[in-house]
Amino acid sequence: MTGFVEPEPGHDTVPWWEALAEGQLTVPTCDDCRRRFFPPQPYCPHCGSTSAQLQPHAGDGTVYSWVVVHRAFAEEFAGDVPYGIVAVDLDGGGRLVGRFSGDPGLLRDGLPVTAEIEGVADFGILWFRPHDEEGTR
């Protein structure tokens, strides 16, 4: 990784960032309707419940949408272009956004991906890599 801008966790996101820094991907899951959501927030966007827990997730899913960045919007990322940013539908529900660690030319709807966490400074940074050609993870 070349580009990095330190995140500024808010009150609701601190536990998520702490888990990521420890190498654990978690997804907020509503205690009432059992649906996953992101980002972490004080209520479920699906049912309005104020009871949710961060649940571990393996990070497997498929690309829902993506963008390929050809012009860096911060000088820290100038050496990274072009790079992909993906929205991933997680297996079992929920959607996360992260950097794509493969060739951005591979991006397509439904591409199977797996989450990776890279430790940078005191943070974990979320990436998604494509499954290999044999379909293994």
Side-chain angles (χ1 to χ4, degrees), residues 52-74:
Q53 307 296 318
L54 288 174
Q55 298 293 321
H57 195 282
D60 296 324
T62 56
V63 171
Y64 168 78
S65 184
W66 74 92
V67 63
V68 177
V69 177
H70 293 278
R71 179 178 175 195
F73 292 102

Side-chain angles (χ1 to χ4, degrees), residues 16-104:
W16 186 82
W17 283 106
E18 289 173 346
L20 209 60
E22 294 171 5
Q24 177 67 57
L25 177 61
T26 59
V27 182
T29 304
C30 179
D31 291 334
D32 293 326
C33 73
R34 304 303 306 155
R35 292 179 71 182
R36 295 182 180 141
F37 57 90
F38 194 81
Q41 53 193 331
Y43 61 90
C44 173
H46 305 292
C47 74
S49 172
T50 57
S51 182
Q53 307 296 318
L54 288 174
Q55 298 293 321
H57 195 282
D60 296 324
T62 56
V63 171
Y64 168 78
S65 184
W66 74 92
V67 63
V68 177
V69 177
H70 293 278
R71 179 178 175 195
F73 292 102
E75 68 181 58
E76 292 88 353
F77 298 99
D80 295 354
V81 294
Y83 63 89
I85 298 173
V86 291
V88 174
D89 282 341
L90 297 173
D91 292 353
R95 184 176 291 154
L96 293 178
V97 175
R99 288 272 304 259
F100 184 68
S101 66
D103 174 358

Side-chain angles (χ1 to χ4, degrees), residues 25 57-63 86 88 90-91 99-101 111-117 126-132 135-137:
L25 177 61
H57 195 282
D60 296 324
T62 56
V63 171
V86 291
V88 174
L90 297 173
D91 292 353
R99 288 272 304 259
F100 184 68
S101 66
L111 177 70
V113 293
T114 299
E116 296 180 329
I117 300 168
L126 183 60
W127 293 78
F128 287 95
R129 67 172 170 78
H131 294 182
D132 66 27
T136 58
R137 299 163 204 243

